[in-house]
């Protein structure tokens, strides 16, 4: 799977009390205008670790290749489930279209290996961008990785690793549809641009994907073209 860093829209770390999940592009613009959210123009990957009691889960937030994702979704969806997935995907795509951004990443599971573990562990020694706790045993820590060599190392290891959709196939199909619309709307834009590709959350295979890893209220958003 080809992945790349992206420009995110995210809460100002000093104003986390105003974090929310906007429903429309106008609401998102208002959050940015007020300073509660910021448009991070620099491209980055984001490493996420979530602790629930003694259990720790982790993931990598990135842009994934829309073409590859299309093939992965088609391979994972059975013919019997296709109609239901399509109906749900249409509803999810409508919400994303109204927002003008991906608010929830497509979850993809990768075959973990020592190289990925080493790179991620090294990146997590830096000062985190967010360190959130609900005071009841849940902690979410996010690191921003923008250094070119670190981004390149993570992208290269994932490119050589087997990846498959995990969790909601309808969300993945919706992301693919939005990516296709973005391409059609901006035919002169470089096809490699992250704004033409879906937001993805890469998790190690075997990790529990039924519970949210990222808080579901708008922590990291990815605007599409």
């Amino acid at each position: 799977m080809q992945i790349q860093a992206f420009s995110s829209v995210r809460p100002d770390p000093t104003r986390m009390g105003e974090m929310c999940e906007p429903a429309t592009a106008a609401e998102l613009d208002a959050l940015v205008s007020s300073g509660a959210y910021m448009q991070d123009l620099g491209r980055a990957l984001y490493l996420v670790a979530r602790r629930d009691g003694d259990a720790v889960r982790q993931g990598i937030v990135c842009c994934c290749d829309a073409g590859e994702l299309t093939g992965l979704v088609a391979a994972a969806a059975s013919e019997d489930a296709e109609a239901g997935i399509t109906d749900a995907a249409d509803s999810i795509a409508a919400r994303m279209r109204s927002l003008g951004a991906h608010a929830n990443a497509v979850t993809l599971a990768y075959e973990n290996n020592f190289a990925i573990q080493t790179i991620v562990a090294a990146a997590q020694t830096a000062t985190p961008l967010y360190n959130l706790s609900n005071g009841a045993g849940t902690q979410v820590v996010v690191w921003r990785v923008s250094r070119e060599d670190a981004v390149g190392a993570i992208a290269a290891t994932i490119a050589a690793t087997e990846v498959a959709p995990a969790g909601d196939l309808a969300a993945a199909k919706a992301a693919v549809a939005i990516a296709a619309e973005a391409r059609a709307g901006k035919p002169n834009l470089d096809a490699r641009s992250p704004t033409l590709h879906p937001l993805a959350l890469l998790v190690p295979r075997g990790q529990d994907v039924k519970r949210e890893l990222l808080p579901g209220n708008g922590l990291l958003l990815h605007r599409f073209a």
Side-chain angles (χ1 to χ4, degrees):
M1 168 64 70
Q2 300 297 318
I3 68 167
Q4 57 181 320
F6 67 100
S7 172
S8 70
V9 183
R10 54 184 176 78
D12 182 331
T14 67
R15 297 174 64 173
M16 295 307 296
E18 298 174 64
M19 185 172 72
C20 63
E21 188 168 2
T24 67
E27 289 180 12
L28 184 55
D29 287 339
L31 287 168
V32 173
S33 295
S34 72
Y37 271 59
M38 56 180 65
Q39 176 75 50
D40 189 345
L41 298 179
R43 293 183 184 180
L45 301 176
Y46 295 86
L47 306 182
V48 183
R50 178 166 181 152
R51 180 187 298 277
D52 292 285
D54 294 330
V56 177
R57 294 173 293 139
Q58 65 179 17
I60 303 168
V61 185
C62 59
C63 274
C64 67
D65 182 85
E68 288 187 79
L69 182 60
T70 300
L72 292 174
V73 171
S78 68
E79 291 184 6
D80 292 340
E82 185 64 30
I85 290 174
T86 298
D87 290 343
D90 289 344
S91 176
I92 296 169
R95 293 200 302 272
M96 288 197 292
R97 202 174 290 115
S98 177
L99 179 60
H102 296 270
N104 298 101
V106 173
T107 303
L108 301 171
Y110 65 88
E111 194 65 50
N112 203 1
N113 58 50
F114 181 74
I116 296 176
Q117 292 173 353
T118 301
I119 295 167
V120 169
Q124 289 176 336
T125 61
T127 301
L129 179 64
Y130 300 107
N131 191 340
L132 312 174
S133 176
N134 66 358
T138 297
Q139 180 185 22
V140 177
V141 185
V142 180
W143 293 264
R144 182 180 186 274
V145 181
S146 59
R147 223 176 58 242
E148 187 174 342
D149 59 339
V151 170
I154 293 173
T157 54
I158 295 297
T161 303
E162 185 179 342
V163 174
D168 191 353
L169 284 178
K173 190 164 186 174
V176 166
I178 290 296
E181 291 177 11
R183 285 176 181 271
K186 296 289 182 68
N188 296 324
L189 190 61
D190 188 331
R192 296 167 296 180
S193 172
T195 60
L196 299 178
H197 296 278
L199 185 65
L201 172 64
L202 299 174
V203 299
R205 184 160 296 163
Q207 183 170 283
D208 180 13
V209 297
K210 293 182 180 179
R211 293 183 297 166
E212 289 284 348
L213 180 58
L214 282 167
N217 51 0
L219 182 61
L220 294 173
L221 301 109
H222 167 48
R223 280 196 154 150
F224 46 81

